[in-house]
Amino acid sequence: MEDTDREIILDALSIQKRIVQLGEAISRDYAAGNLLVLGVLKGAFVFMADLVRAIDVPLAIDFIQVSSYGKGASSSGDIILRSTPTIAVQGYDVLLVEDIIDSGLTVQWLMAHLADQGANSVKVCALIDKAERRTHPVQIDYCGFSIPQGFLVGYGLDFNEQYRNLPIICHLKNPV
Ligand code: IMP
Ligand code: MG
C-alpha cells in the first residue's frame, strides 16, 4: 500500500485531547452509577484503553464481539453475536464503547440485546460518528468526532484486519 493512498484525518494529540473531554463528561454523569464499560470488539479496543484511563469513577470493564462487516468495506446487513461479556450485565449502567457508528445497525442491535439482558441503563460512546450514512437511528450520548464520509483506518479501525495499530486515524482512499 502506497502512502499516497492514505490521508491523515486525526492525529494522536487531537484524539487524546477529545478523549480527556469525553472522560470528564462520563465521570460527571456516572458519579452515582454502577458503571460497566463494554467495548465492542475488535475495533474499539484502542479507544477503550485510552477512554477508561480518562474516567475517574469506579467501573467494571468487559467486551462483546459482533460482526456485521465481512472482509471489505461494506456491511452484510446481518449481525452475528460472536462473543458475549463474561460479566452479567443485569443491574449495570452499561456504557457501550464503539469505534465507528456508520449505518447504526450494530449499535441498534446491541442496545436491544443489552436491554433484553437486563441492563439497568444503556448509553453509547462512539469515537466517530458517520451521521450522513445512518439508516438505523441511534442516539450517541458521547461522540468523539463527526466525520461525514470515507473509509477510515487506524487507532483500532481495520480494513481486512490491517492498520489497527496505527496511532492516528487515516482515510483509506481506495479500499477494494
Ligand atoms: P454499522 O453497523 O453500519 O453502524 O457499522 C459499524 C461497524 O462497521 C463499526 O463498528 C466498524 O467496525 C465498521 N466500520 C464502519 N465504517 C468503518 C470505517 O470507515 N472503517 C473501519 N470500520 C468501519
Ligand atoms: Mg470492524
Side-chain angles (χ1 to χ4, degrees):
M1 178 72 54
E2 298 284 327
D3 271 358
T4 51
D5 287 336
R6 281 187 267 162
E7 176 200 353
I8 299 176
I9 300 291
L10 293 168
D11 62 38
L13 189 60
S14 309
I15 297 170
Q16 291 310 316
K17 281 184 175 165
R18 186 70 187 118
I19 288 177
V20 167
Q21 296 171 335
L22 293 173
E24 284 170 357
I26 292 164
S27 303
R28 262 197 313 274
D29 295 351
Y30 286 92
N34 183 25
L35 178 58
L36 172 63
V37 182
L38 189 65
V40 185
L41 292 173
K42 296 177 209 171
F45 86 105
V46 179
F47 174 43
M48 170 105 163
D50 285 337
L51 182 69
V52 292
R53 286 178 287 178
I55 300 173
D56 66 359
V57 295
L59 57 83
I61 288 174
D62 213 330
F63 294 94
I64 190 167
Q65 186 166 17
V66 292
S67 55
S68 62
Y69 274 46
K71 279 180 81 178
S74 65
S75 174
S76 67
D78 299 317
I79 303 292
I80 302 162
L81 184 58
R82 295 204 180 272
S83 78
T84 54
T86 60
I87 298 173
V89 301
Q90 198 163 19
Y92 273 105
D93 296 306
V94 177
L95 180 64
L96 203 52
V97 177
E98 258 283 27
D99 52 359
I100 290 193
I101 300 183
D102 187 31
S103 69
L105 182 71
T106 307
V107 164
Q108 205 177 68
W109 188 93
L110 281 166
M111 302 254 333
H113 175 73
L114 293 165
D116 214 50
Q117 298 291 304
N120 187 50
S121 66
V122 186
K123 284 200 198 179
V124 176
C125 177
L127 180 64
I128 291 164
D129 178 16
K130 283 188 182 172
E132 293 174 12
R133 291 183 35 96
R134 198 78 79 251
T135 53
H136 295 66
V138 286
Q139 180 182 330
I140 306 177
D141 302 282
Y142 308 95
C143 176
F145 301 93
S146 247
I147 295 173
Q149 62 216 351
F151 197 82
L152 306 176
V153 294
Y155 198 71
L157 299 165
D158 76 305
F159 176 65
N160 286 349
E161 298 299 335
Q162 295 298 304
Y163 307 108
R164 293 193 199 273
N165 57 316
L166 297 180
I168 56 176
I169 292 177
C170 296
H171 175 208
L172 193 63
K173 291 182 185 162
N174 298 302
V176 281

